[in-house]
């Protein structure tokens, strides 16, 4: 069977678009699962690879950090060489490097493998959304398709911990990376015949200097946040922030002065486009930060098994999928910006609930909070992604989807870097090491909650019990701060939406 020809953006809707959408959901699910599946494996990774606190954060961050820096150039590549072509290359590479991550013998190896996965993941995500933009030319059908895409993304983010819980219950921690094979294999086999290829007839130039500038903007910024959480404001923190700001400024100037830029930064003069992208960033920031602390709390404070802990998040998973689909119908009757504000309001309530019940350690309150959060994410992500993709012509879909994905991944990077670092700093400030614990064991306990639990089991007796109780209380003290920050961010996001999205059409 021959591969499908390139479609024209002005042609009639692609006849197999819904079947193609089903295949496109496979990489969406995998990449979004990969964003959060690691959260539930952190305790076992801590026990087997014994990473330091910063290494534990980098195991999470290396993937999203590299991905966020490469999404924009990857979007340009897909516009130039074909979205299906980049999708299939990314799928094959992602699967192979995931297998390498599964058998990592050290924390350093795992960090490097996660970064390698990000290189190929960057080719995947802009391609999926830009293909959808090109094959769904009817606005109502496109919004429904984007709703399914966003629901898949939200479902994958919540399904990650559940998948991880099931695998960790029966296999070793590396098994969470082997799920790429059964998910990607159907895409690699069916993709060439079910998914049409498409290109931009006048793509932006592939500019190596701009790629370097993006990476040297994101990497120093995240490093500065991490370093600040551990060491405070010092010369290194200030230097990294200045470098990030300088490179970001040079990148922007370079795009404005080039006749055919890699990224058309003038898109951000459209306040609806900018407001939707920033809303994406902040909602994902809060979601990933929430999952980072909740996954550890359920296992290391509440004492649930990985599978039991993952089931606490199941209602939120279901509601995120349902909300993403239902909102397509609701916006026929409720103005779009009002619907997004309502979604963000649900997320504010979720964080407030965590703050009010953090000291009780109630798993029921976490279940309810994540259900509210999942509903809000399902509503908001569908609508903001539709706004972003509707703001550009089909031939520029790769660049627009890259910006949307960059906002998503930047939110994931910053959610772990900022909220994770604040959580670790608060944990360290509140932890009390009892007498009878050796200095090497005390140092391990100070690194992470997982390290403290391992030391408490090893020490045993009254000292072990005292250490475990102190570590759990110190961790939940940090949760109070991070939940508060998440709630405040969502309130600020509501203000942003009222200022930028009021004129968005239904």
């Amino acid at each position: 069977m021959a591969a499908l020809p390139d479609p024209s953006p002005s042609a009639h809707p692609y006849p197999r678009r819904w079947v193609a959408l089903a295949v496109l959901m496979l990489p969406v699910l995998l990449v979004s699962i990969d964003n959060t599946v690691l959260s539930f494996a952190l305790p076992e990774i801590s026990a087997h690879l014994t990473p330091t606190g910063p290494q534990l954060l980098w195991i999470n961050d290396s993937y999203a950090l590299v991905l966020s820096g490469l999404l924009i150039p990857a979007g340009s590549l897909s516009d130039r060489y074909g979205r299906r072509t980049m999708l299939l290359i990314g799928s094959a590479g992602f699967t192979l490097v995931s297998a390498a991550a599964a058998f990592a013998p050290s924390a350093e190896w795992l960090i490097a493998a996660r970064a390698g996965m990000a290189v190929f993941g960057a080719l995947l995500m802009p391609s999926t959304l830009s293909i959808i933009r090109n094959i769904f030319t009817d606005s109502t059908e496109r919004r429904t398709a984007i709703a399914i895409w966003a629901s898949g993304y939200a479902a994958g983010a919540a399904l990650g911990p559940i998948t991880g819980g099931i695998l960790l219950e029966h296999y070793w921690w590396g098994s969470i990376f082997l799920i790429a094979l059964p998910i990607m294999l159907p895409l690699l086999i069916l993709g060439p015949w079910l998914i049409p290829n498409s290109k931009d007839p006048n793509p932006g130039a592939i500019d190596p200097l701009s790629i370097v500038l993006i990476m040297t903007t994101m990497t120093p910024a995240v490093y500065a946040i991490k370093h600040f959480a551990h060491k405070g404001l010092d010369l290194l923190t200030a230097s990294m922030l200045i470098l990030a700001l300088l490179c970001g400024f040079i990148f922007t100037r370079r795009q404005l002065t080039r006749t055919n830029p890699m990224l058309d930064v003038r898109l951000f003069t459209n306040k609806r486009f900018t407001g939707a992208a920033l809303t994406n960033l902040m909602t994902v920031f809060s979601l990933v930060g929430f999952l980072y602390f909740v996954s550890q709390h359920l296992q290391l404070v509440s004492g649930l098994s990985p599978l039991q802990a993952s089931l606490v998040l199941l209602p939120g998973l279901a509601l995120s999928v349902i909300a993403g689909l239902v909102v397509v119908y609701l916006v026929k009757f409720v103005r779009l910006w009002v619907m997004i504000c309502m979604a963000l309001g649900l997320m504010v309530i979720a964080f407030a609930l965590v703050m009010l019940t953090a000291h009780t350690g109630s798993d029921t309150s976490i279940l309810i909070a994540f259900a509210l959060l999942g509903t809000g994410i399902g509503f908001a992500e569908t609508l903001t992604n539709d706004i972003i993709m509707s703001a550009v012509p089909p031939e520029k879909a790769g660049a627009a989807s890259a910006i949307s994905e960059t906002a998503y991944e930047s939110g994931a990077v910053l959610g772990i870097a900022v909220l994770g670092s604040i959580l670790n700093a608060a944990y360290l400030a509140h932890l009390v090491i009892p007498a009878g614990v050796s200095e090497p064991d005390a140092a391990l306990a100070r690194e992470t909650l997982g390290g403290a639990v391992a030391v408490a089991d090893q020490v045993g007796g009254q000292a072990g019990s005292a250490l475990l109780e102190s570590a759990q209380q110190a961790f939940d003290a940090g949760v109070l701060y991070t939940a508060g920050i998440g709630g405040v961010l969502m309130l600020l996001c509501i203000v942003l939406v009222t200022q930028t999205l009021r004129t968005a059409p239904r």
Side-chain angles (χ1 to χ4, degrees):
M1 185 183 298
L4 292 168
D6 294 1
S8 168
S10 62
H12 294 295
Y14 174 58
R16 297 183 185 177
R17 57 194 179 279
W18 295 107
V19 181
L21 177 63
V23 176
L24 285 171
M25 293 309 298
L26 295 173
V28 171
L29 280 171
L30 179 61
V31 173
S32 57
I33 285 173
D34 196 80
N35 275 331
T36 56
V37 69
L38 203 62
S39 297
F40 267 57
L42 290 178
E44 284 202 25
I45 290 173
S46 295
H48 287 86
L49 300 183
T50 60
T52 63
Q55 282 179 329
L56 195 64
L57 285 173
W58 277 111
I59 288 171
N60 261 303
D61 291 346
S62 59
Y63 175 82
L65 174 62
V66 175
L67 189 64
S68 62
L70 291 178
L71 278 167
I72 289 174
S76 296
L77 283 173
S78 67
D79 282 345
R80 175 176 291 272
Y81 298 111
R83 286 116 191 187
R84 183 185 64 198
T85 301
M86 292 298 104
L87 177 68
L88 295 177
I89 291 173
S91 300
F94 192 94
T95 304
L96 290 174
V97 182
S98 294
F103 300 99
S106 66
E108 292 84 358
W109 177 296
L110 185 55
I111 292 170
R114 294 276 291 165
M117 291 166 63
V119 173
F120 292 102
L123 298 176
L124 286 172
M125 295 316 298
S127 300
T128 59
L129 197 53
S130 56
I131 289 171
I132 289 172
R133 175 67 179 91
N134 275 269
I135 64 177
F136 288 93
T137 55
D138 177 78
S139 60
T140 302
E141 281 194 349
R142 184 177 64 246
R143 179 172 287 175
T144 302
I146 291 176
I148 295 171
W149 181 93
S151 296
Y153 219 137
L159 189 61
I162 295 173
T163 304
I166 294 172
L167 291 173
L168 292 170
E169 194 82 4
H170 299 95
Y171 306 102
W172 92 111
W173 64 265
S175 62
I176 63 173
F177 296 111
L178 295 181
I179 59 175
L181 183 59
I183 294 178
M184 288 303 201
L185 191 58
L187 171 67
L188 292 170
I189 294 173
L190 300 175
W193 293 282
L194 289 178
I195 300 172
N197 209 359
S198 60
K199 300 177 183 179
D200 181 355
N202 185 31
I206 303 301
D207 181 9
L209 179 56
S210 292
I211 296 173
V212 172
L213 287 170
I214 291 174
M215 296 301 295
T216 51
T217 297
M218 293 297 298
T219 304
V222 174
Y223 183 85
I225 293 168
K226 290 170 172 295
H227 188 75
F228 175 78
H230 287 276
K231 303 293 183 181
L233 182 59
D234 58 12
L235 181 60
L236 182 58
T237 301
S239 300
M240 291 295 101
L241 285 175
I242 292 171
L243 177 61
L245 290 171
L246 179 62
C247 291
F249 174 77
I250 295 172
F251 172 80
T252 303
R253 290 283 298 176
R254 184 172 178 81
Q255 304 314 300
L256 287 171
T257 56
R258 290 173 68 87
T259 55
N260 192 17
M262 188 176 73
L263 173 66
D264 185 4
V265 294
R266 292 178 181 83
L267 285 171
F268 291 101
T269 60
N270 182 327
K271 69 177 184 178
R272 293 204 302 265
F273 182 93
T274 302
L278 289 175
T279 301
N280 263 0
L281 188 152
M282 288 196 281
T283 53
V284 173
F285 176 101
S286 299
L287 170 66
V288 173
F290 183 96
L291 288 171
Y292 180 79
F293 65 70
V294 164
S295 59
Q296 294 184 74
H297 172 94
L298 291 172
Q299 293 179 80
L300 300 176
V301 178
S302 297
L304 301 181
S305 69
L307 179 58
Q308 291 171 330
S310 67
L311 292 177
V312 173
L313 303 181
L314 188 59
L317 163 65
L319 286 170
S320 68
V321 175
I322 294 170
L325 298 174
V326 168
V327 75
V328 176
Y329 176 78
L330 293 179
V331 291
K332 295 179 180 179
F333 308 100
V334 181
R335 290 189 63 84
L336 190 148
W337 72 273
V338 173
M339 197 72 239
I340 296 175
C341 286
M342 291 170 60
L344 297 171
L346 290 176
M347 297 177 71
V348 172
I349 296 171
F351 283 109
L353 181 61
V354 172
M355 286 185 66
L356 292 173
T357 60
H359 64 285
T360 67
S362 169
D363 294 343
T364 302
S365 67
I366 288 176
L367 186 152
I368 296 171
F370 188 66
L372 292 169
L373 195 73
T375 303
I377 285 287
F379 285 154
E381 286 296 307
T382 294
L383 299 178
T384 53
N385 278 298
D386 183 54
I387 291 170
I388 290 171
M389 296 310 297
S390 300
V392 299
E395 61 271 16
K396 297 295 182 183
S401 60
I403 292 172
S404 176
E405 293 299 330
T406 300
Y408 188 99
E409 295 303 333
S410 298
V413 169
L414 295 173
I416 295 294
V418 176
L419 297 184
S421 295
I422 291 172
L423 179 59
N424 286 350
Y427 165 77
L428 181 60
H430 289 84
L431 180 66
V432 177
I433 304 294
V437 177
S438 67
E439 185 52 39
D441 285 342
L444 179 59
R446 292 188 187 100
E447 289 287 349
T448 63
L449 176 60
V453 171
V455 170
D457 287 341
Q458 180 182 341
V459 172
Q462 186 174 357
S465 298
L467 174 61
L468 179 61
E469 182 179 359
S470 174
Q472 291 175 337
Q473 291 177 353
F475 185 84
D476 279 349
V479 168
L480 185 67
Y481 293 117
T482 52
I485 292 170
V488 169
L489 274 177
M490 291 304 94
L491 288 172
L492 292 175
C493 204
I494 290 174
V495 175
L496 172 69
V497 169
T498 60
Q499 297 299 312
T500 60
L501 300 183
R502 278 179 174 269
T503 59
R506 283 183 175 173

